[in-house]
Amino acid sequence: MLKSLSELIKENIVDYELRINSEFGLNGIPSGFVHLDNVLCGWQKSELITIAGMTSVGKTSLMLSAVRNASVEFGIPTAIFSYENSSNKIVDRLFAMEAEIEMMRLNKGKLAAYEWEQLIHKTRELNHAPIFIDDNCSLTLEQLLESAEEIVKNNNIEALFIDDIHHIRVTKTNREQEISYIVRELKRLARLLNIPIIALSRINRRIFDVLNKRPSLEHLKDSGDIEHHSDTVLLLNRPEMHGITEDENGESTLGIMELIIAKHRHGSLEQIPLKFIQKFAKITDLEANNFGFNNEPMWPSNSDFSEQVDPDNDAPF
């Protein structure tokens, strides 16, 4: 859309005023991870953010944590396109994370009375969270793009998550061309819908040739265009997966996830330590007093500022 410079300046001034008056100090969608939000100012509108890591490193856990934080704590409508897990399995994971009950016990359905009470009590807010899930694993890229537009417009979605891009298929000569086309189209979609799209990706096996096994941009799988078209690239690493139990300073790495901001088009590159609680597949800020599940938030929760939330409506299901 063609606009004059004077029009754009007026829009930016209004945007600056909104940022100054924001209760969160963010102009984007909160991820709920304090350090990450301080660096990125939240997930930014019209941007493509790629989260990449090895299999089982915790990509889906980080995504679901961010979805939960945005929708439960701030009432922000979010949507997930899940090629990796069924919608029922995603709910299982959200329940395990929220109630802090091991997934294995949920799967077996053998919970003690106090665990059932804990499950019902701690997951009440999930029932009212504006989270939408599409688990159609056979969606082509064209179908995904069409469905995303419809879901975003019909439900006022403010952030879209995709797990993961390597399951999306299109007809191209080779896989590298496919991935290049996919990330270009996702970036175009983010611009078109004016929302952040957060897409999960994988890294290649060359990571095993690195001494400390810490991923970098060159380890993005299948295409350098993932780096090129993404506005932000976050790489995940859990040293204990590689038998590394101490960092360079002799500090324990057990239960630590490194979130590496490897590309940030509009800001700094940093390494952020997060807490990974493996038995619940749950990720929080490292410091106990920072925002996260069952911790005191640094920002007001949705119930503190939204007149749309009914505090008396606490039915569990």
Side-chain angles (χ1 to χ4, degrees):
M1 181 184 296
L2 183 64
K3 293 183 180 181
S4 70
L5 179 58
S6 61
E7 288 178 299
L8 294 171
I9 289 174
K10 288 178 183 178
E11 290 179 4
N12 277 32
I13 293 297
V14 171
D15 188 44
Y16 296 152
E17 290 175 345
L18 291 174
R19 296 182 200 184
I20 291 171
N21 295 321
S22 170
E23 295 188 60
F24 314 123
L26 304 175
N27 67 325
I29 304 300
S31 72
F33 299 105
V34 174
H35 192 165
L36 180 62
D37 282 336
N38 284 340
V39 177
L40 302 183
C41 291
W43 311 122
Q44 295 295 304
K45 291 181 179 180
S46 79
E47 291 196 351
L48 174 62
I49 299 99
T50 298
I51 300 175
M54 290 178 57
T55 300
S56 300
V57 73
K59 298 187 295 296
T60 301
S61 295
L62 183 70
M63 177 193 75
L64 292 180
S65 297
V67 167
R68 178 265 175 204
N69 291 342
S71 294
V72 171
E73 297 296 334
F74 302 104
I76 295 170
T78 58
I80 301 170
F81 281 89
S82 177
Y83 288 82
E84 190 76 22
N85 294 284
S86 69
S87 55
N88 288 336
K89 186 58 64 178
I90 289 175
V91 173
D92 283 344
R93 293 181 66 135
L94 287 169
F95 272 17
M97 294 160 62
E98 193 77 7
E100 294 193 335
I101 295 174
E102 292 185 49
M103 179 74 74
M104 180 180 67
R105 296 183 63 78
L106 280 176
N107 288 338
K108 289 182 177 180
K110 296 181 178 179
L111 302 181
Y114 79 90
E115 289 176 313
W116 277 112
E117 184 177 347
Q118 179 175 318
L119 180 68
I120 292 172
H121 175 71
K122 289 192 173 183
T123 58
R124 280 174 174 167
E125 288 184 302
L126 282 176
N127 191 49
H128 306 293
I131 300 172
F132 299 83
I133 303 168
D134 188 326
D135 65 353
N136 186 348
C137 61
S138 63
L139 284 179
T140 64
L141 177 62
E142 289 72 20
Q143 291 170 331
L144 168 64
L145 298 174
E146 182 179 349
S147 182
E149 285 193 52
E150 182 179 352
I151 290 174
V152 168
K153 292 176 181 177
N154 290 344
N155 301 284
N156 298 314
I157 299 301
E158 295 185 40
L160 184 67
F161 296 77
I162 300 173
D163 185 10
D164 70 40
I165 63 173
H166 294 277
H167 284 293
I168 304 173
R169 292 289 170 179
V170 293
T171 305
K172 292 293 177 184
T173 305
N174 56 52
R175 190 55 179 156
E176 183 173 343
Q177 288 183 341
E178 283 188 331
I179 295 297
S180 296
Y181 180 62
I182 289 167
V183 293
R184 287 199 307 272
E185 286 299 292
L186 292 180
K187 172 59 182 176
R188 182 191 63 80
L189 183 66
R191 290 284 306 275
L192 175 66
L193 300 178
N194 194 33
I195 63 170
I197 293 181
I198 299 92
L200 305 192
S201 182
R202 306 176 199 171
I203 59 177
N204 57 50
R205 297 187 63 83
R206 290 202 300 273
I207 185 65
F208 294 108
D209 299 328
V210 179
L211 185 61
N212 62 9
K213 304 299 186 291
R214 184 173 285 128
S216 61
L217 291 172
E218 67 182 21
H219 297 120
L220 290 170
K221 187 175 182 180
D222 289 333
S223 175
D225 277 357
I226 296 176
E227 173 190 354
H228 179 71
H229 292 290
S230 298
D231 297 279
T232 300
V233 177
L234 308 178
L235 302 176
L236 305 186
N237 179 43
R238 285 200 290 127
E240 64 180 301
M241 287 182 64
H242 308 292
I244 302 172
T245 57
E246 291 185 351
D247 63 17
E248 296 86 348
N249 300 316
E251 299 290 336
S252 174
T253 62
L254 299 180
I256 300 297
M257 171 182 281
E258 293 179 342
L259 191 156
I260 303 164
I261 304 177
K263 179 184 178 182
H264 185 195
R265 194 183 299 275
H266 307 296
S268 62
L269 306 180
E270 299 193 25
Q271 294 181 15
I272 300 172
L274 299 173
K275 184 177 182 180
F276 183 83
I277 308 173
Q278 188 165 9
K279 61 183 177 179
F280 307 135
K282 166 178 167 177
I283 300 171
T284 69
D285 279 310
L286 191 59
E287 292 79 10
N289 291 326
N290 277 354
F291 179 90
F293 301 98
N294 306 320
N295 293 327
E296 290 297 321
M298 291 183 68
W299 309 298
S301 67
N302 181 58
S303 58
D304 291 328
F305 67 83
S306 175
E307 297 179 356
Q308 300 177 355
V309 176
D310 180 5
D312 296 324
N313 186 9
D314 62 352
F317 299 104

